Amino acid sequence: ALHLCQVHGLTGVDIDWEFPSYGQEGAFRDFFKTLYETLNPAGYLVSAACGGEATHADKWLAETFTYIDDLNIMSYDAPTSVSTNHASLQFMIDAMDIYNAQGCPYSKMLGGVAFYSRTSVKMYNEILSASSDKQTTFETDGTGSVLYNGKNTIDAKIDYVMNKGGLGILIWEVTQDVKGQYSLLNACDLKMEDYRCPVTQPDLGDDVSICGTSSVTLNSNVSGSYTYSWKKNTAVIPGSASTLIATSAGTYEVTVSDGLCSRTDEIEVLGVLPSIDLGDDFDLCDPSVATLDANVSGSGINYIWTKNTNQIPGETSKTLEVSKAGT
């Protein structure tokens, strides 16, 4: 194993022993101990693939986990007695908890996602090719006997693993994917971007109008020891603060950085009032009371409401509660 790593420039070795039997727990541990003590000093990693059911996890002694860097949990191929979808989110959660109870820290775990269905054995690329609604096929886990992991479940699995302090996800198997907008690998990559950079995503909110006021305060809604960089219409604005006072219309952008990675958001400061949109006409029957919303907000803006051309006294907010018909 060491020779293979050295000759071929490998990162390490993954062991897929499916599966140790009762009575082999000690030999299983000793195997990994020998391998780890050979590869680790030379800078190579040792990982292990493991089944998601308790009957596989119970062959792991707590000590064995000290001799691996990564635990690749095959949270797919679940029997129907365990999960209706062989690769459900819950099956992965349960598998992670089982291995944690055996002694493996969550920080060594990768959860598994399936690019295939099992009851009716089909690859995702086959399933997508036969689909008349590719967006739904891409997003969901399929139906009936054709169940895999679509984007929504992939997102949920990544969120769960990473929020537990895990390492990432294991894919079986990447050649079952497609290229382009419906790629599950791309979905994994895009979702994992949330966890590659520890910087908080700035949020400048909705576009605002500067009409009726001399300035508006833009807030990145990020706090912490970061570097804040602002631009207006691509031109750099001097200074580094989490807020900016904008005195003229334009496209403003804030970038928040910790020196290694960064996140950006932008907002349009309008030189005119945004359009009012009260929505479509409707019948005031059920419900008998409704709230109208101008959908325009910002500092320095005044609101005047009328009914049948007559001004309504005291109504000066962006919303109005109505209980009678009229214009």
Side-chain angles (χ1 to χ4, degrees), residues 162-177:
M162 301 310 292
N163 287 323
K164 293 291 280 189
L167 286 172
I169 54 167
L170 163 72
I171 297 166
W172 189 268
E173 184 270 331
V174 74
T175 63
Q176 299 167 341
D177 195 18

Side-chain angles (χ1 to χ4, degrees), residues 115 123-130 134 137-138 173-187:
F115 285 12
M123 298 187 292
Y124 169 70
N125 51 37
E126 294 179 272
I127 299 166
L128 186 74
S129 176
K134 289 181 169 45
T137 301
F138 167 64
E173 184 270 331
V174 74
T175 63
Q176 299 167 341
D177 195 18
V178 298
K179 295 181 179 180
Q181 71 182 102
Y182 301 118
S183 165
L184 297 180
L185 180 61
N186 283 352

